[in-house]
Amino acid sequence: MAARLSLSEMRQELDSLSTSLQHAEAYDGATLRAARRLNRASGLLATSVLLDSAVEHDRGGFENRAMYIPLVVSTLVLAVSAHGTADRRPASHRMRQIVYGVSAATGVLGTSFHLYNVLKRPGAWSWQNLFYGAPLGAPFAILLAGLLGSAAEHARDNPPSRARILGFPAGRFIGAISGVGMLGTTAEAGLLHFRGAFHNPAMLAPVTMPPVGAALLLNAVMGPKGRDRRVARWWLRLVAWMGFAGVGFHVFGVQRNMGGWSNWRQNLLNGPPIPAPPSFASLALAGLAALGLLEDHPDG
């Protein structure tokens, strides 16, 4: 009788172990899926930085050799992000981590350069200099690309059934970065659209939709587990589509200038920056990855 009971207990233990392994695989798959989404978001943001800084720094004639740095770094971030997007291994990659760290440091350094460029002009801190000096929010994008990519690599290193970054639940940590990033990007877009006097009603979209998305995302990040996040998810999808649609509006904005695309060399420099709007899409995608982690790993 004791032997039969022992065999029965062993069978129950094996069934329990099998169930635990299945749950662990599901959790591990969710973490890997979120990491690859973050690699994709980082790569999209790096693409925006690469193209935008190439145009803006060409406008400045690459007067300072440091102006080549964001082009090189964003190209590296794009390359390692493509590698991470295709990588199905649940472990971080040392080279990707290094590149993402360099990207974040470049963003901090670039912000100091741009701030100096604004403050050294006559009038220093004035609307004129904020409008036409080095854009203070531009280096923030390459900083965010590095932070999102680094978060992706940290997410990969979590054991099954656990997802934490720097001791915080990964979904909440990534959601906070994405939400704050959206607010910063909105401030930059608002400044430039204010310079354009909001002559097109569509220019209100990037200063209204992303803040709402950021508020919904940050509310989900700070809220209790089990909260219904469908509204936040759908709104972030709208923000992502708005980012891609913004490219079309900016292309049209270039076309409106004298000479249109036949005078592309001048109009690309003077018209609205075509590569800028996808930065909203990348942050919205990162926010969606965070919401996915909050569902699969509510407590990290």
Side-chain angles (χ1 to χ4, degrees):
M1 182 69 178
R4 290 179 182 175
L5 185 60
S6 179
L7 289 173
S8 176
E9 289 177 345
M10 289 177 63
R11 189 176 297 111
Q12 290 177 0
E13 288 293 330
L14 288 173
D15 289 342
S16 176
L17 179 61
S18 176
T19 301
S20 298
L21 288 173
Q22 290 176 359
H23 288 166
E25 289 178 359
Y27 282 133
D28 190 59
T31 304
L32 178 59
R33 183 168 59 251
R36 295 175 70 197
R37 285 175 176 172
L38 288 170
N39 287 134
R40 193 175 298 119
S42 178
L44 178 59
L45 195 50
T47 302
S48 178
V49 172
L50 172 62
L51 298 176
D52 196 27
S53 60
V55 172
E56 294 299 324
H57 288 182
D58 180 63
R59 184 212 304 269
F62 290 95
E63 181 181 358
N64 189 323
R65 290 188 178 182
M67 296 169 80
Y68 288 102
I69 294 177
L71 277 68
V72 174
V73 173
S74 56
T75 299
L76 291 174
V77 172
L78 178 57
V80 298
S81 295
H83 181 268
T85 300
D87 191 356
R88 296 182 178 275
R89 294 172 296 178
S92 64
H93 192 283
R94 183 171 176 78
M95 182 54 67
R96 292 201 299 260
Q97 277 284 33
I98 292 174
V99 170
Y100 289 137
V102 171
S103 177
T106 301
V108 175
L109 182 64
T111 300
S112 64
F113 272 110
H114 283 209
L115 184 61
Y116 170 73
N117 178 272
V118 170
L119 294 179
K120 75 175 183 179
R121 293 166 174 258
W125 198 258
S126 64
W127 286 113
Q128 178 77 9
N129 291 338
L130 287 174
F131 286 155
Y132 298 104
L136 295 179
F140 189 59
I142 198 168
L143 169 63
L144 286 172
L147 291 178
L148 293 177
S150 184
E153 299 307 307
H154 279 93
R156 288 175 185 269
D157 279 338
N158 280 282
S161 74
R162 184 175 180 273
R164 299 184 79 81
I165 298 176
L166 300 179
F168 299 97
R172 299 183 188 275
F173 185 87
I174 295 166
I177 292 176
S178 304
V180 172
M182 262 190 278
L183 292 176
T185 307
T186 297
E188 176 72 7
L191 179 67
L192 297 180
H193 286 190
F194 177 66
R195 184 181 73 181
F198 291 96
H199 63 271
N200 187 326
M203 296 171 75
L204 292 170
V207 296
T208 54
M209 292 177 63
V212 174
L216 291 171
L217 180 58
L218 293 173
N219 182 59
V221 165
M222 295 183 292
K225 64 179 181 179
R227 170 177 290 184
D228 188 351
R229 302 182 177 95
R230 283 179 295 181
V231 175
R233 186 176 295 104
W234 279 105
W235 195 270
L236 288 175
R237 288 171 181 164
L238 285 175
V239 172
W241 281 111
M242 181 211 73
F244 292 120
V247 174
F249 278 102
H250 282 206
V251 168
F252 175 70
V254 171
Q255 170 63 32
R256 304 178 60 246
N257 285 311
M258 186 174 296
W261 282 101
S262 61
N263 188 26
W264 65 270
R265 177 70 181 178
Q266 178 176 333
N267 289 341
L268 276 179
L269 297 176
N270 296 329
I274 294 174
S279 58
F280 286 111
S282 63
L283 292 168
L285 293 175
L288 289 170
L291 292 179
L293 278 173
L294 284 174
E295 290 182 358
D296 294 305
H297 297 275
D299 295 318

